[in-house]
Amino acid sequence: MTQSRAQNDNRLLLFALLAFALVIALGFAIEAGLTKDLDRAGLKALALRQGVSGDAAITSAQVITWLGDTARRSLAVVAAALWLWWNKRPRAALAMLVFPTLAGVSSSILKEAFARPRPEIVPHLDVVTNLSFPSGHATNAMAILLLAAMAMATKRRSSALAAAIGVSLLIGLSRLALGVHWPSDVIGGWLWGVGWALLGLWTIRTMERGS
Protein backbone atom coordinates (compact mmCIF):
# COMPACT_ATOMS: atom_id res chain seq x y z
CA MET A 1 0.00 0.00 0.00
CA THR A 2 2.81 2.41 0.95
CA GLN A 3 4.69 1.69 -2.27
CA SER A 4 1.55 2.19 -4.35
CA ARG A 5 0.85 5.48 -2.58
CA ALA A 6 4.39 6.65 -3.22
CA GLN A 7 4.01 5.81 -6.90
CA ASN A 8 0.78 7.77 -7.08
CA ASP A 9 2.45 10.71 -5.38
CA ASN A 10 5.35 10.58 -7.81
CA ARG A 11 2.86 11.00 -10.63
CA LEU A 12 2.06 14.38 -9.09
CA LEU A 13 5.70 15.35 -9.55
CA LEU A 14 5.63 14.17 -13.17
CA PHE A 15 2.47 16.15 -13.95
CA ALA A 16 3.93 19.24 -12.23
CA LEU A 17 7.05 19.07 -14.37
CA LEU A 18 4.92 18.53 -17.47
CA ALA A 19 2.86 21.64 -16.66
CA PHE A 20 6.03 23.70 -16.25
CA ALA A 21 7.41 22.38 -19.55
CA LEU A 22 4.19 23.27 -21.36
CA VAL A 23 4.36 26.85 -20.10
CA ILE A 24 7.95 27.26 -21.25
CA ALA A 25 7.05 25.78 -24.64
CA LEU A 26 4.06 28.13 -24.87
CA GLY A 27 6.33 31.07 -24.09
CA PHE A 28 8.64 30.18 -26.95
CA ALA A 29 5.65 29.65 -29.26
CA ILE A 30 4.46 33.15 -28.37
CA GLU A 31 7.89 34.59 -29.09
CA ALA A 32 7.85 32.85 -32.47
CA GLY A 33 4.48 34.46 -33.28
CA LEU A 34 2.65 31.14 -33.45
CA THR A 35 -0.20 32.26 -31.19
CA LYS A 36 -0.66 35.75 -32.63
CA ASP A 37 -3.80 35.19 -34.68
CA LEU A 38 -5.56 33.06 -32.08
CA ASP A 39 -4.67 35.53 -29.33
CA ARG A 40 -6.01 38.49 -31.26
CA ALA A 41 -9.23 36.70 -32.22
CA GLY A 42 -9.77 35.42 -28.68
CA LEU A 43 -9.22 38.77 -27.03
CA LYS A 44 -11.44 40.59 -29.49
CA ALA A 45 -14.21 38.10 -28.74
CA LEU A 46 -13.87 38.22 -24.94
CA ALA A 47 -12.82 41.78 -24.08
CA LEU A 48 -15.42 44.18 -22.75
CA ARG A 49 -15.60 47.77 -24.00
CA GLN A 50 -16.55 50.85 -21.99
CA GLY A 51 -19.69 52.35 -23.46
CA VAL A 52 -20.40 49.24 -25.50
CA SER A 53 -20.55 46.42 -22.93
CA GLY A 54 -22.98 46.67 -20.04
CA ASP A 55 -21.80 48.40 -16.88
CA ALA A 56 -22.83 45.37 -14.83
CA ALA A 57 -20.60 43.08 -16.88
CA ILE A 58 -17.63 45.41 -16.54
CA THR A 59 -18.14 45.83 -12.80
CA SER A 60 -18.46 42.06 -12.35
CA ALA A 61 -15.17 41.47 -14.17
CA GLN A 62 -13.46 44.14 -12.08
CA VAL A 63 -14.77 42.63 -8.84
CA ILE A 64 -13.59 39.15 -9.84
CA THR A 65 -10.16 40.52 -10.70
CA TRP A 66 -10.13 42.39 -7.36
CA LEU A 67 -10.72 39.08 -5.59
CA GLY A 68 -7.55 37.79 -7.24
CA ASP A 69 -5.39 40.78 -6.26
CA THR A 70 -2.38 40.45 -3.96
CA ALA A 71 -4.10 41.36 -0.70
CA ARG A 72 -6.93 38.86 -1.09
CA ARG A 73 -4.51 36.17 -2.31
CA SER A 74 -2.33 36.69 0.75
CA LEU A 75 -5.31 36.39 3.09
CA ALA A 76 -6.33 33.13 1.42
CA VAL A 77 -2.82 31.68 1.80
CA VAL A 78 -2.55 32.65 5.47
CA ALA A 79 -6.05 31.37 6.24
CA ALA A 80 -5.35 28.00 4.62
CA ALA A 81 -1.99 27.70 6.38
CA LEU A 82 -3.57 28.50 9.76
CA TRP A 83 -6.29 25.92 9.16
CA LEU A 84 -3.68 23.25 8.41
CA TRP A 85 -1.63 24.26 11.46
CA TRP A 86 -4.74 24.14 13.67
CA ASN A 87 -5.37 20.62 12.41
CA LYS A 88 -1.87 19.59 13.49
CA ARG A 89 -0.36 19.51 10.01
CA PRO A 90 2.59 21.90 10.39
CA ARG A 91 4.44 20.59 7.31
CA ALA A 92 1.37 21.14 5.16
CA ALA A 93 0.93 24.62 6.65
CA LEU A 94 4.51 25.50 5.77
CA ALA A 95 4.07 24.21 2.21
CA MET A 96 0.88 26.25 1.91
CA LEU A 97 2.90 29.37 2.67
CA VAL A 98 5.90 28.48 0.52
CA PHE A 99 4.59 27.09 -2.76
CA PRO A 100 2.09 29.84 -3.70
CA THR A 101 4.85 32.33 -2.93
CA LEU A 102 7.20 30.47 -5.26
CA ALA A 103 4.46 30.42 -7.90
CA GLY A 104 4.12 34.20 -7.75
CA VAL A 105 7.85 34.90 -7.72
CA SER A 106 8.58 32.52 -10.59
CA SER A 107 5.68 33.96 -12.59
CA SER A 108 7.27 37.41 -12.27
CA ILE A 109 10.60 35.98 -13.40
CA LEU A 110 8.95 34.48 -16.48
CA LYS A 111 7.35 37.84 -17.26
CA GLU A 112 10.79 39.43 -17.35
CA ALA A 113 12.30 36.53 -19.30
CA PHE A 114 9.71 36.60 -22.09
CA ALA A 115 9.09 40.38 -21.85
CA ARG A 116 5.76 40.25 -23.63
CA PRO A 117 3.94 43.59 -23.85
CA ARG A 118 0.35 43.91 -22.70
CA PRO A 119 -2.29 43.80 -25.44
CA GLU A 120 -3.44 47.11 -26.85
CA ILE A 121 -6.40 45.86 -28.90
CA VAL A 122 -8.98 47.49 -26.61
CA PRO A 123 -8.66 50.09 -23.83
CA HIS A 124 -7.69 48.49 -20.54
CA LEU A 125 -10.40 48.35 -17.90
CA ASP A 126 -7.90 47.71 -15.11
CA VAL A 127 -4.60 49.34 -14.15
CA VAL A 128 -1.54 47.28 -15.13
CA THR A 129 2.11 48.11 -14.54
CA ASN A 130 4.08 45.02 -15.52
CA LEU A 131 4.53 42.61 -18.43
CA SER A 132 2.06 40.13 -19.81
CA PHE A 133 3.14 36.46 -19.95
CA PRO A 134 2.11 34.57 -17.90
CA SER A 135 -0.85 36.11 -16.10
CA GLY A 136 -0.02 36.61 -12.44
CA HIS A 137 -3.69 36.57 -11.47
CA ALA A 138 -4.26 33.23 -13.22
CA THR A 139 -1.04 31.76 -11.82
CA ASN A 140 -1.61 32.76 -8.23
CA ALA A 141 -5.31 31.95 -8.13
CA MET A 142 -4.73 28.44 -9.44
CA ALA A 143 -1.68 27.78 -7.26
CA ILE A 144 -3.37 28.98 -4.06
CA LEU A 145 -6.88 27.65 -4.49
CA LEU A 146 -5.97 24.30 -6.04
CA LEU A 147 -3.29 23.56 -3.45
CA ALA A 148 -5.62 24.60 -0.62
CA ALA A 149 -8.41 22.38 -1.93
CA MET A 150 -6.13 19.38 -2.37
CA ALA A 151 -4.33 19.83 0.96
CA MET A 152 -7.29 20.79 3.15
CA ALA A 153 -10.26 18.84 1.84
CA THR A 154 -10.84 15.52 3.56
CA LYS A 155 -14.53 15.27 2.78
CA ARG A 156 -16.27 16.35 -0.41
CA ARG A 157 -12.88 16.73 -2.08
CA SER A 158 -14.42 16.68 -5.55
CA SER A 159 -16.62 19.66 -4.66
CA ALA A 160 -13.66 21.54 -3.19
CA LEU A 161 -11.57 20.91 -6.28
CA ALA A 162 -14.39 21.95 -8.59
CA ALA A 163 -14.88 25.19 -6.64
CA ALA A 164 -11.14 25.95 -6.62
CA ILE A 165 -10.78 25.37 -10.35
CA GLY A 166 -13.98 27.26 -11.12
CA VAL A 167 -12.94 30.37 -9.19
CA SER A 168 -9.45 30.22 -10.72
CA LEU A 169 -10.92 30.03 -14.20
CA LEU A 170 -13.19 33.01 -13.49
CA ILE A 171 -10.29 35.11 -12.23
CA GLY A 172 -8.27 34.29 -15.34
CA LEU A 173 -11.18 35.04 -17.65
CA SER A 174 -11.74 38.38 -15.92
CA ARG A 175 -8.29 39.45 -17.13
CA LEU A 176 -9.40 38.83 -20.70
CA ALA A 177 -12.70 40.60 -20.15
CA LEU A 178 -10.79 43.65 -18.90
CA GLY A 179 -8.52 43.58 -21.94
CA VAL A 180 -5.25 43.38 -19.98
CA HIS A 181 -4.01 39.93 -21.02
CA TRP A 182 -3.80 37.78 -24.12
CA PRO A 183 -5.58 34.39 -23.93
CA SER A 184 -2.25 32.57 -24.03
CA ASP A 185 -1.09 34.62 -21.01
CA VAL A 186 -4.00 33.30 -19.01
CA ILE A 187 -3.61 29.72 -20.21
CA GLY A 188 0.07 29.87 -19.33
CA GLY A 189 -0.78 31.27 -15.90
CA TRP A 190 -3.28 28.52 -15.18
CA LEU A 191 -0.76 25.85 -16.17
CA TRP A 192 2.02 27.46 -14.14
CA GLY A 193 -0.26 27.59 -11.12
CA VAL A 194 -1.29 23.95 -11.58
CA GLY A 195 2.37 22.96 -11.69
CA TRP A 196 3.15 24.68 -8.39
CA ALA A 197 -0.01 23.33 -6.72
CA LEU A 198 0.88 19.76 -7.72
CA LEU A 199 4.47 20.24 -6.62
CA GLY A 200 3.23 21.58 -3.30
CA LEU A 201 0.90 18.61 -2.79
CA TRP A 202 3.68 16.18 -3.71
CA THR A 203 5.93 17.84 -1.12
CA ILE A 204 3.22 17.71 1.55
CA ARG A 205 2.53 14.03 0.97
CA THR A 206 6.23 13.19 0.89
CA MET A 207 6.90 15.00 4.16
CA GLU A 208 3.83 13.65 5.93
CA ARG A 209 4.51 10.10 4.74
CA GLY A 210 7.98 10.29 6.21
CA SER A 211 6.91 11.76 9.54
Side-chain angles (χ1 to χ4, degrees):
M1 177 68 73
T2 302
Q3 184 177 1
S4 175
R5 186 174 299 172
Q7 290 174 343
N8 288 336
D9 290 348
N10 285 338
R11 291 192 183 96
L12 293 173
L13 179 59
L14 177 62
F15 288 135
L17 295 175
L18 177 60
F20 293 148
L22 287 173
V23 175
I24 300 301
L26 179 58
F28 284 120
I30 290 167
E31 284 195 332
L34 300 180
T35 69
K36 181 178 180 180
D37 292 340
L38 287 174
D39 270 328
R40 291 181 66 85
L43 187 56
K44 284 181 179 179
L46 295 171
L48 302 174
R49 279 86 164 171
Q50 196 80 51
V52 177
S53 307
D55 290 342
I58 293 173
T59 300
S60 296
Q62 290 171 335
V63 168
I64 293 169
T65 271
W66 176 84
L67 291 173
D69 283 347
T70 303
R72 268 64 62 187
R73 296 197 305 253
S74 299
L75 286 174
V77 168
V78 171
L82 288 174
W83 188 94
L84 291 164
W85 185 274
W86 180 261
N87 283 273
K88 297 179 172 58
R89 296 178 63 194
R91 293 176 178 84
L94 178 60
M96 190 68 233
L97 292 172
V98 168
F99 283 90
T101 300
L102 291 175
V105 170
S106 60
S107 173
S108 296
I109 292 172
L110 285 182
K111 283 178 183 289
E112 296 299 325
F114 287 106
R116 189 185 200 186
R118 295 278 180 163
E120 295 292 347
I121 290 180
V122 296
H124 295 168
L125 297 176
D126 189 32
V127 177
V128 288
T129 57
N130 56 10
L131 295 164
S132 200
F133 177 85
S135 164
H137 276 72
T139 295
N140 287 289
M142 189 65 78
I144 294 166
L145 297 177
L146 186 57
L147 179 57
M150 293 188 297
M152 295 169 60
T154 54
K155 297 179 180 179
R156 299 180 179 177
R157 177 164 291 181
S158 296
S159 297
L161 288 173
I165 293 170
V167 173
S168 300
L169 294 178
L170 283 175
I171 289 173
L173 290 172
S174 74
R175 307 305 285 162
L176 301 179
L178 298 176
V180 296
H181 271 296
W182 300 103
S184 55
D185 297 337
V186 173
I187 293 170
W190 284 330
L191 286 171
W192 199 248
V194 165
W196 282 105
L198 293 177
L199 187 59
L201 181 63
W202 174 80
T203 302
I204 289 170
R205 290 184 176 179
T206 300
M207 291 191 299
E208 290 186 338
R209 191 171 60 245
S211 62

